[in-house]
Amino acid sequence: MLTTTSLALRIGQRDILRDASLTFRPGEMTAILGPNGAGKSTLLAVLSGEKPPASGQVLLDGQPLSHWRPAALARRRAVMLQHSPLGFAFTVEEVVGLGQSHLPHPRPADIARCLEQADAAALRGRLYPTLSGGEKQRVQFARALAQLAPHHGPESPILLLDEPTASLDPGHQHLLLNAARDWTRQHQAITIAVLHDINLASWYCDRAILLHQNGVAWQESLDSIPTSLLKDAYGIFFHRFPSPHSARSSFLPCPAA
């Protein structure tokens, strides 16, 4: 289990989150939502262990992240960043194999399966720098899955996704999040995704954490979130509708209520 206790985040001299106690459970996919500058990516970086919190703790299985050895943490959690600059002319297959650099040797069967899950198998022999932004996103998703593919045991693997759909066309947005949700349930994993699209968060995530005004304004399913709270956070009114393709709610932003 991944938890935070009295977590505070700061960028420069600005507090962006105060006294946040959060719990992320196995088998759940959680969206992190909020307006620009609310601290979504910073929270994800702290949850990954990349950045220390201003105060408070992040605990993995009851132990502070700072107590985990890097190799042990690499076997347990993988991160997909918004931007993954890589100028070397590696092939797609080699890039996905980098996800298994904590192993003595990459496992070709894992790499092939993860490329299929990301709908990137056709890109296998392409050079990574020649790919479009959306193609690179799919390859990085496959790399993150490959990092966790060797995971065995009762502990839940953790997948952290920072705006994974930002460069994707609508079809691949749904494909990636559906693959992440299926993987989460299959492995009883913990998946946390920073998203901007409230509908994608509603359709694919079990719950959402909404960051607003230096705090956590909501951390439940979006099915029951008051639309007034969304208006406070984003400055625009949202109409809620039952989705024709899902049991989850859909939201339509409107410039004027």
Side-chain angles (χ1 to χ4, degrees), residues 37-119:
K40 302 181 294 297
S41 294
T42 301
L43 174 58
L44 200 76
V46 170
L47 292 175
S48 75
E50 178 189 349
K51 292 183 178 181
S55 62
Q57 286 187 316
V58 179
L59 305 174
L60 177 55
D61 295 342
Q63 295 295 320
L65 281 185
S66 58
H67 291 186
W68 284 72
R69 290 190 170 191
L73 201 55
R75 289 191 293 269
R76 187 70 183 278
R77 68 96 179 91
V79 184
M80 176 183 170
L81 300 174
Q82 288 184 51
H83 307 289
S84 300
L86 181 61
F88 296 103
F90 291 142
T91 67
V92 164
E93 189 170 20
E94 289 170 332
V95 171
V96 177
L98 291 174
Q100 298 193 335
S101 57
H102 59 291
L103 301 176
H105 304 284
R107 296 166 32 155
D110 289 343
I111 293 169
R113 182 175 64 255
C114 294
L115 282 167
E116 290 284 351
Q117 288 176 295
D119 193 31

Coordinates of all heavy atoms in Angstrom, one line a residue, residues 37-119:
G37 N -0.9 24.5 -12.4 CA -0.2 25.0 -11.2 C -0.7 24.5 -9.9 O -0.2 24.9 -8.8
A38 N -1.6 23.5 -9.9 CA -2.1 23.0 -8.6 C -1.2 22.1 -7.9 O -1.3 21.8 -6.7 CB -3.5 22.3 -8.8
G39 N -0.2 21.6 -8.7 CA 0.8 20.7 -8.1 C 0.7 19.2 -8.4 O 1.2 18.4 -7.7
K40 N 0.0 18.9 -9.5 CA -0.3 17.5 -9.9 C 1.0 16.8 -10.2 O 1.2 15.7 -9.6 CB -1.2 17.5 -11.1 CG -2.6 18.2 -10.9 CD -3.5 18.0 -12.1 CE -2.9 18.8 -13.3 NZ -2.8 20.2 -13.1
S41 N 1.8 17.3 -11.0 CA 3.1 16.6 -11.4 C 4.0 16.6 -10.2 O 4.8 15.6 -10.1 CB 3.7 17.3 -12.6 OG 2.9 17.1 -13.8
T42 N 4.0 17.7 -9.4 CA 4.9 17.7 -8.2 C 4.5 16.6 -7.2 O 5.3 15.9 -6.7 CB 4.8 19.1 -7.6 OG1 5.2 20.1 -8.5 CG2 5.7 19.1 -6.3
L43 N 3.2 16.4 -7.0 CA 2.7 15.4 -6.2 C 3.1 14.0 -6.7 O 3.6 13.1 -5.9 CB 1.2 15.4 -6.0 CG 0.5 14.2 -5.3 CD1 1.1 14.1 -3.8 CD2 -1.0 14.4 -5.2
L44 N 3.0 13.8 -8.0 CA 3.4 12.5 -8.6 C 5.0 12.3 -8.4 O 5.4 11.2 -8.1 CB 3.1 12.5 -10.1 CG 3.0 11.0 -10.7 CD1 1.7 10.4 -10.2 CD2 3.1 11.1 -12.2
A45 N 5.7 13.4 -8.5 CA 7.2 13.2 -8.4 C 7.5 12.9 -6.9 O 8.5 12.1 -6.7 CB 7.9 14.5 -8.8
V46 N 6.8 13.4 -6.0 CA 7.0 13.1 -4.5 C 6.6 11.6 -4.3 O 7.2 10.9 -3.6 CB 6.3 14.1 -3.6 CG1 6.3 13.6 -2.2 CG2 6.9 15.5 -3.8
L47 N 5.5 11.2 -4.9 CA 5.0 9.8 -4.7 C 6.0 8.8 -5.3 O 6.1 7.7 -4.8 CB 3.6 9.6 -5.3 CG 2.5 10.4 -4.7 CD1 1.2 10.2 -5.5 CD2 2.2 9.9 -3.2
S48 N 6.7 9.2 -6.3 CA 7.7 8.3 -6.9 C 9.0 8.3 -6.2 O 9.8 7.4 -6.4 CB 7.9 8.8 -8.4 OG 8.8 9.9 -8.4
G49 N 9.2 9.2 -5.3 CA 10.5 9.3 -4.6 C 11.5 10.2 -5.3 O 12.6 10.4 -4.9
E50 N 11.1 10.8 -6.5 CA 12.0 11.7 -7.2 C 12.3 13.0 -6.5 O 13.4 13.5 -6.5 CB 11.4 12.0 -8.6 CG 12.3 12.9 -9.4 CD 11.6 13.4 -10.7 OE1 10.5 12.8 -11.0 OE2 12.1 14.3 -11.3
K51 N 11.3 13.5 -5.8 CA 11.4 14.7 -5.0 C 11.0 14.5 -3.6 O 10.1 13.8 -3.3 CB 10.6 15.8 -5.6 CG 10.9 16.3 -7.0 CD 10.0 17.5 -7.4 CE 10.4 18.0 -8.8 NZ 9.6 19.1 -9.2
P52 N 11.7 15.1 -2.6 CA 11.3 15.0 -1.2 C 10.2 16.0 -1.0 O 10.1 17.1 -1.6 CB 12.6 15.4 -0.5 CG 13.3 16.4 -1.4 CD 13.0 15.9 -2.8
P53 N 9.3 15.6 0.0 CA 8.2 16.6 0.3 C 8.8 17.7 1.2 O 9.9 17.6 1.8 CB 7.3 15.7 1.1 CG 8.1 14.6 1.7 CD 9.2 14.4 0.7
A54 N 8.1 18.8 1.3 CA 8.5 19.9 2.2 C 8.4 19.4 3.6 O 9.2 19.8 4.5 CB 7.6 21.1 1.9
S55 N 7.3 18.6 3.9 CA 7.2 18.0 5.2 C 6.2 16.8 5.0 O 5.6 16.7 4.0 CB 6.7 19.0 6.3 OG 5.4 19.5 5.9
G56 N 6.1 16.0 6.1 CA 5.3 14.8 6.0 C 6.1 13.6 5.3 O 7.3 13.8 5.1
Q57 N 5.4 12.5 5.1 CA 6.1 11.4 4.6 C 5.3 10.7 3.5 O 4.0 10.8 3.5 CB 6.3 10.3 5.7 CG 7.4 10.7 6.7 CD 7.7 9.6 7.6 OE1 6.8 9.0 8.2 NE2 9.0 9.3 7.9
V58 N 6.0 9.9 2.6 CA 5.4 9.0 1.7 C 5.8 7.6 2.2 O 7.0 7.4 2.3 CB 5.8 9.2 0.3 CG1 5.1 8.2 -0.7 CG2 5.4 10.6 -0.2
L59 N 4.9 6.7 2.4 CA 5.2 5.4 2.9 C 4.8 4.3 1.9 O 3.7 4.3 1.4 CB 4.4 5.1 4.3 CG 4.7 6.2 5.4 CD1 3.7 5.8 6.6 CD2 6.1 6.2 5.8
L60 N 5.7 3.4 1.7 CA 5.4 2.2 0.8 C 5.5 1.0 1.7 O 6.6 0.7 2.3 CB 6.4 2.2 -0.3 CG 6.3 0.9 -1.3 CD1 4.8 0.8 -1.8 CD2 7.3 1.0 -2.4
D61 N 4.4 0.3 1.9 CA 4.3 -0.8 2.8 C 4.8 -0.4 4.2 O 5.5 -1.2 4.9 CB 5.1 -2.0 2.3 CG 4.5 -2.5 1.0 OD1 3.4 -2.3 0.7 OD2 5.2 -3.3 0.3
G62 N 4.4 0.8 4.6 CA 4.7 1.3 6.0 C 6.1 1.8 6.1 O 6.5 2.3 7.2
Q63 N 7.0 1.8 5.1 CA 8.3 2.3 5.2 C 8.5 3.5 4.4 O 8.0 3.6 3.2 CB 9.3 1.2 4.7 CG 9.4 -0.1 5.5 CD 9.9 0.2 6.9 OE1 10.8 1.0 7.1 NE2 9.3 -0.4 7.9
P64 N 9.2 4.6 4.9 CA 9.4 5.8 4.1 C 10.1 5.5 2.8 O 11.0 4.6 2.8 CB 10.2 6.6 5.0 CG 9.9 6.2 6.4 CD 9.7 4.7 6.3
L65 N 9.8 6.2 1.7 CA 10.4 5.9 0.5 C 11.9 6.1 0.6 O 12.7 5.4 -0.1 CB 9.9 6.9 -0.6 CG 8.5 6.5 -1.2 CD1 8.2 7.5 -2.4 CD2 8.5 5.1 -1.8
S66 N 12.4 7.0 1.4 CA 13.8 7.3 1.5 C 14.5 6.1 2.1 O 15.8 6.1 2.0 CB 14.0 8.5 2.5 OG 13.4 8.3 3.7
H67 N 13.9 5.2 2.7 CA 14.5 4.0 3.3 C 14.7 2.9 2.3 O 15.3 1.9 2.6 CB 13.7 3.5 4.5 CG 13.7 4.4 5.7 ND1 13.2 4.0 6.9 CD2 14.3 5.6 5.8 CE1 13.4 5.0 7.7 NE2 14.0 6.0 7.1
W68 N 14.0 3.0 1.1 CA 14.1 2.0 0.1 C 15.4 2.1 -0.8 O 15.7 3.2 -1.2 CB 12.9 2.1 -0.8 CG 11.6 1.5 -0.2 CD1 10.9 2.1 0.8 CD2 11.0 0.3 -0.6 NE1 9.8 1.3 1.1 CE2 9.8 0.2 0.3 CE3 11.2 -0.7 -1.5 CZ2 9.0 -0.9 0.2 CZ3 10.4 -1.8 -1.6 CH2 9.3 -1.9 -0.7
R69 N 16.0 1.0 -1.1 CA 17.2 1.1 -2.0 C 16.7 1.3 -3.4 O 15.6 0.8 -3.8 CB 17.9 -0.3 -1.9 CG 18.7 -0.5 -0.6 CD 19.6 -1.7 -0.7 NE 20.5 -1.8 0.4 CZ 21.5 -2.6 0.5 NH1 21.7 -3.4 -0.6 NH2 22.3 -2.7 1.5
P70 N 17.4 2.1 -4.2 CA 17.0 2.4 -5.5 C 16.7 1.1 -6.4 O 15.7 1.1 -7.1 CB 18.2 3.1 -6.1 CG 18.9 3.8 -4.9 CD 18.7 2.8 -3.8
A71 N 17.5 0.1 -6.3 CA 17.2 -1.1 -7.0 C 15.9 -1.8 -6.6 O 15.1 -2.2 -7.5 CB 18.4 -2.1 -6.9
A72 N 15.6 -1.8 -5.3 CA 14.4 -2.4 -4.9 C 13.2 -1.6 -5.3 O 12.1 -2.1 -5.7 CB 14.4 -2.5 -3.3
L73 N 13.3 -0.2 -5.3 CA 12.3 0.7 -5.7 C 12.0 0.5 -7.2 O 10.9 0.6 -7.7 CB 12.6 2.1 -5.3 CG 11.5 3.1 -5.2 CD1 10.4 2.6 -4.3 CD2 12.0 4.5 -4.8
A74 N 13.1 0.3 -8.0 CA 12.9 0.2 -9.4 C 12.2 -1.1 -9.8 O 11.5 -1.1 -10.8 CB 14.3 0.1 -10.1
R75 N 12.3 -2.1 -9.0 CA 11.6 -3.4 -9.2 C 10.1 -3.2 -8.8 O 9.3 -4.0 -9.3 CB 12.2 -4.5 -8.4 CG 13.6 -5.0 -8.9 CD 14.0 -6.3 -8.3 NE 14.3 -6.1 -6.9 CZ 15.4 -5.8 -6.4 NH1 16.5 -5.6 -7.2 NH2 15.6 -5.7 -5.0
R76 N 9.8 -2.2 -8.0 CA 8.5 -2.1 -7.4 C 7.6 -1.1 -8.1 O 6.4 -1.2 -8.3 CB 8.6 -1.8 -6.0 CG 7.3 -1.8 -5.2 CD 6.8 -3.2 -5.0 NE 5.5 -3.1 -4.4 CZ 5.3 -3.0 -3.0 NH1 6.4 -3.0 -2.2 NH2 4.1 -3.0 -2.5
R77 N 8.2 0.0 -8.6 CA 7.4 1.1 -9.2 C 8.1 1.7 -10.4 O 9.3 1.7 -10.6 CB 7.2 2.2 -8.2 CG 8.4 3.0 -7.7 CD 8.5 4.3 -8.5 NE 9.7 5.1 -8.1 CZ 10.9 4.9 -8.6 NH1 11.1 4.0 -9.6 NH2 11.9 5.7 -8.2
A78 N 7.3 2.0 -11.4 CA 7.7 2.6 -12.7 C 7.0 3.9 -12.9 O 5.9 4.1 -12.5 CB 7.5 1.6 -13.8
V79 N 7.7 4.9 -13.6 CA 7.2 6.2 -13.8 C 7.2 6.5 -15.3 O 8.2 6.3 -16.0 CB 8.0 7.3 -13.1 CG1 7.4 8.6 -13.3 CG2 8.1 6.9 -11.6
M80 N 6.1 7.0 -15.8 CA 6.1 7.5 -17.2 C 5.9 9.0 -17.1 O 4.9 9.5 -16.6 CB 4.9 6.9 -17.9 CG 4.7 7.4 -19.3 SD 3.2 6.7 -20.1 CE 3.0 7.7 -21.6
L81 N 6.9 9.7 -17.6 CA 6.9 11.2 -17.5 C 6.2 11.8 -18.6 O 5.9 11.2 -19.7 CB 8.4 11.7 -17.5 CG 9.3 11.2 -16.3 CD1 10.7 11.6 -16.5 CD2 8.7 11.6 -15.0
Q82 N 5.9 13.1 -18.5 CA 5.2 13.9 -19.5 C 6.1 13.9 -20.8 O 5.7 13.8 -21.9 CB 5.0 15.3 -19.1 CG 3.9 15.6 -18.1 CD 3.7 17.1 -17.8 OE1 3.6 17.8 -18.8 NE2 3.7 17.4 -16.6
H83 N 7.4 14.2 -20.6 CA 8.4 14.3 -21.6 C 9.5 13.4 -21.3 O 10.1 13.4 -20.2 CB 8.8 15.7 -21.8 CG 7.7 16.7 -21.9 ND1 6.9 16.8 -23.1 CD2 7.2 17.7 -21.1 CE1 6.0 17.8 -22.9 NE2 6.2 18.3 -21.7
S84 N 9.9 12.6 -22.3 CA 11.1 11.7 -22.1 C 12.1 11.9 -23.2 O 12.1 11.2 -24.2 CB 10.6 10.2 -22.1 OG 9.6 10.0 -21.1
P85 N 12.9 13.0 -23.1 CA 13.9 13.3 -24.1 C 14.9 12.2 -24.3 O 15.5 11.7 -23.2 CB 14.5 14.6 -23.7 CG 14.3 14.6 -22.2 CD 13.0 13.9 -22.0
L86 N 15.2 11.7 -25.5 CA 16.1 10.7 -25.7 C 16.7 10.9 -27.1 O 16.0 10.6 -28.1 CB 15.5 9.3 -25.6 CG 16.4 8.1 -25.8 CD1 17.5 8.1 -24.7 CD2 15.6 6.8 -25.7
G87 N 17.9 11.5 -27.2 CA 18.5 11.8 -28.5 C 19.2 10.7 -29.2 O 19.5 10.8 -30.4
F88 N 19.5 9.7 -28.4 CA 20.3 8.6 -29.0 C 19.4 7.8 -30.0 O 18.2 7.6 -29.7 CB 20.9 7.7 -28.0 CG 21.9 8.4 -27.1 CD1 21.5 8.8 -25.8 CD2 23.2 8.6 -27.6 CE1 22.5 9.4 -25.0 CE2 24.1 9.3 -26.8 CZ 23.7 9.7 -25.5
A89 N 20.0 7.2 -31.0 CA 19.2 6.5 -32.1 C 19.0 5.1 -31.6 O 19.3 4.1 -32.4 CB 20.0 6.6 -33.4
F90 N 18.3 4.9 -30.5 CA 17.9 3.6 -30.1 C 16.7 3.2 -30.8 O 15.9 4.0 -31.2 CB 17.6 3.5 -28.6 CG 18.8 3.7 -27.7 CD1 18.7 4.5 -26.5 CD2 20.0 3.1 -27.9 CE1 19.7 4.6 -25.6 CE2 21.1 3.3 -27.1 CZ 21.0 4.0 -25.9
T91 N 16.5 1.9 -31.1 CA 15.3 1.4 -31.6 C 14.2 1.4 -30.5 O 14.5 1.4 -29.3 CB 15.4 0.0 -32.2 OG1 15.7 -0.9 -31.1 CG2 16.6 -0.1 -33.2
V92 N 13.0 1.3 -31.0 CA 11.9 1.3 -30.0 C 12.0 0.1 -29.1 O 11.8 0.2 -27.9 CB 10.5 1.2 -30.8 CG1 9.4 0.7 -29.9 CG2 10.2 2.5 -31.4
E93 N 12.4 -1.1 -29.6 CA 12.6 -2.3 -28.8 C 13.7 -2.1 -27.8 O 13.5 -2.5 -26.6 CB 13.0 -3.5 -29.7 CG 13.0 -4.8 -29.0 CD 13.1 -6.0 -30.0 OE1 13.6 -5.7 -31.1 OE2 12.7 -7.1 -29.6
E94 N 14.8 -1.4 -28.1 CA 15.8 -1.1 -27.2 C 15.3 -0.1 -26.1 O 15.7 -0.3 -24.9 CB 17.0 -0.5 -27.9 CG 17.8 -1.5 -28.7 CD 18.8 -0.9 -29.6 OE1 18.7 0.3 -30.0 OE2 19.8 -1.6 -30.0
V95 N 14.5 0.9 -26.4 CA 14.0 1.8 -25.4 C 13.1 1.1 -24.4 O 13.2 1.3 -23.2 CB 13.2 2.9 -26.1 CG1 12.5 3.8 -25.1 CG2 14.2 3.8 -27.0
V96 N 12.3 0.2 -24.9 CA 11.4 -0.5 -24.0 C 12.3 -1.5 -23.1 O 12.0 -1.6 -21.9 CB 10.4 -1.3 -24.8 CG1 9.5 -2.2 -23.8 CG2 9.4 -0.4 -25.5
G97 N 13.3 -2.0 -23.7 CA 14.3 -2.8 -22.9 C 15.0 -2.1 -21.8 O 15.4 -2.7 -20.8
L98 N 15.1 -0.8 -22.0 CA 15.7 0.0 -20.9 C 14.9 0.0 -19.6 O 15.5 0.2 -18.5 CB 15.9 1.5 -21.4 CG 16.9 1.8 -22.5 CD1 16.8 3.2 -22.9 CD2 18.3 1.4 -22.0
G99 N 13.7 -0.3 -19.7 CA 12.8 -0.5 -18.5 C 13.3 -1.6 -17.7 O 12.9 -1.7 -16.5
Q100 N 14.0 -2.6 -18.3 CA 14.5 -3.7 -17.5 C 16.0 -3.7 -17.2 O 16.6 -4.7 -17.0 CB 14.1 -5.0 -18.3 CG 12.6 -5.2 -18.5 CD 12.3 -6.6 -18.9 OE1 13.0 -7.3 -19.5 NE2 11.0 -7.0 -18.6
S101 N 16.5 -2.4 -17.1 CA 17.9 -2.3 -16.9 C 18.3 -2.7 -15.5 O 19.5 -2.8 -15.1 CB 18.4 -0.8 -17.1 OG 17.6 0.1 -16.3
H102 N 17.3 -2.8 -14.6 CA 17.6 -3.3 -13.2 C 17.7 -4.8 -13.2 O 18.1 -5.4 -12.1 CB 16.5 -2.9 -12.3 CG 15.1 -3.4 -12.6 ND1 14.5 -2.9 -13.8 CD2 14.3 -4.3 -12.1 CE1 13.3 -3.5 -13.8 NE2 13.2 -4.3 -12.8
L103 N 17.5 -5.5 -14.3 CA 17.7 -7.0 -14.4 C 19.1 -7.3 -15.1 O 19.6 -6.5 -15.8 CB 16.6 -7.6 -15.3 CG 15.2 -7.4 -14.8 CD1 14.2 -8.0 -15.8 CD2 14.9 -8.0 -13.4
P104 N 19.6 -8.5 -14.9 CA 20.8 -8.9 -15.5 C 20.7 -8.8 -17.0 O 21.7 -8.4 -17.7 CB 21.1 -10.3 -15.1 CG 20.3 -10.4 -13.8 CD 19.1 -9.5 -13.9
H105 N 19.6 -9.2 -17.6 CA 19.3 -9.2 -19.0 C 17.9 -8.8 -19.3 O 17.0 -9.3 -18.6 CB 19.7 -10.5 -19.7 CG 21.1 -11.0 -19.4 ND1 22.2 -10.4 -20.1 CD2 21.6 -11.9 -18.6 CE1 23.3 -11.0 -19.7 NE2 22.9 -11.9 -18.7
P106 N 17.6 -8.0 -20.3 CA 16.2 -7.8 -20.7 C 15.5 -9.1 -21.1 O 16.1 -10.1 -21.5 CB 16.3 -6.9 -21.9 CG 17.6 -6.3 -21.9 CD 18.5 -7.3 -21.2
R107 N 14.2 -9.2 -20.9 CA 13.4 -10.4 -21.2 C 12.6 -10.1 -22.5 O 11.6 -9.4 -22.4 CB 12.5 -10.7 -20.0 CG 13.4 -11.1 -18.8 CD 12.7 -11.2 -17.5 NE 11.3 -11.6 -17.5 CZ 10.7 -12.2 -16.5 NH1 11.4 -12.4 -15.3 NH2 9.5 -12.5 -16.5
P108 N 13.0 -10.7 -23.6 CA 12.3 -10.4 -24.9 C 10.8 -10.6 -24.9 O 10.0 -9.9 -25.5 CB 13.0 -11.3 -25.9 CG 14.4 -11.5 -25.3 CD 14.1 -11.6 -23.8
A109 N 10.3 -11.7 -24.2 CA 8.9 -12.0 -24.1 C 8.2 -10.8 -23.4 O 7.1 -10.5 -23.9 CB 8.7 -13.3 -23.4
D110 N 8.7 -10.3 -22.3 CA 8.1 -9.2 -21.7 C 8.0 -8.0 -22.6 O 7.0 -7.3 -22.7 CB 8.9 -8.7 -20.4 CG 8.9 -9.8 -19.3 OD1 8.0 -10.6 -19.3 OD2 9.7 -9.7 -18.4
I111 N 9.1 -7.7 -23.3 CA 9.2 -6.5 -24.2 C 8.1 -6.6 -25.3 O 7.4 -5.7 -25.6 CB 10.6 -6.3 -24.7 CG1 11.6 -6.0 -23.6 CG2 10.6 -5.3 -25.8 CD1 13.0 -6.1 -24.0
A112 N 8.0 -7.8 -25.9 CA 7.0 -8.0 -26.9 C 5.6 -7.8 -26.4 O 4.8 -7.2 -27.1 CB 7.2 -9.4 -27.6
R113 N 5.3 -8.4 -25.3 CA 4.0 -8.3 -24.7 C 3.6 -6.8 -24.4 O 2.5 -6.4 -24.6 CB 3.9 -9.2 -23.5 CG 2.5 -9.2 -22.8 CD 2.3 -10.1 -21.7 NE 3.2 -9.8 -20.6 CZ 4.3 -10.4 -20.2 NH1 4.8 -11.4 -21.0 NH2 5.0 -10.0 -19.2
C114 N 4.6 -6.1 -23.8 CA 4.3 -4.7 -23.4 C 4.1 -3.8 -24.6 O 3.3 -2.9 -24.6 CB 5.4 -4.2 -22.5 SG 5.5 -5.1 -20.9
L115 N 4.9 -4.1 -25.7 CA 4.7 -3.4 -26.9 C 3.3 -3.6 -27.5 O 2.6 -2.7 -28.0 CB 5.7 -3.8 -28.0 CG 7.1 -3.1 -27.8 CD1 8.1 -3.9 -28.6 CD2 7.1 -1.7 -28.1
E116 N 2.8 -4.8 -27.4 CA 1.4 -5.1 -27.8 C 0.4 -4.4 -27.0 O -0.6 -3.8 -27.5 CB 1.2 -6.6 -27.8 CG 1.9 -7.5 -28.8 CD 1.3 -7.4 -30.2 OE1 0.2 -6.8 -30.3 OE2 1.9 -7.9 -31.1
Q117 N 0.6 -4.4 -25.7 CA -0.4 -3.7 -24.8 C -0.5 -2.2 -25.1 O -1.5 -1.6 -24.9 CB 0.1 -3.9 -23.3 CG -0.2 -5.4 -22.8 CD 0.3 -5.5 -21.4 OE1 1.5 -5.5 -21.2 NE2 -0.5 -5.8 -20.5
A118 N 0.7 -1.6 -25.5 CA 0.7 -0.2 -25.8 C 0.4 0.1 -27.3 O 0.4 1.3 -27.7 CB 2.1 0.4 -25.5
D119 N 0.0 -0.9 -28.0 CA -0.3 -0.8 -29.5 C 0.9 -0.2 -30.2 O 0.8 0.7 -31.0 CB -1.5 0.1 -29.7 CG -2.0 0.0 -31.2 OD1 -1.8 -1.1 -31.8 OD2 -2.6 1.0 -31.7

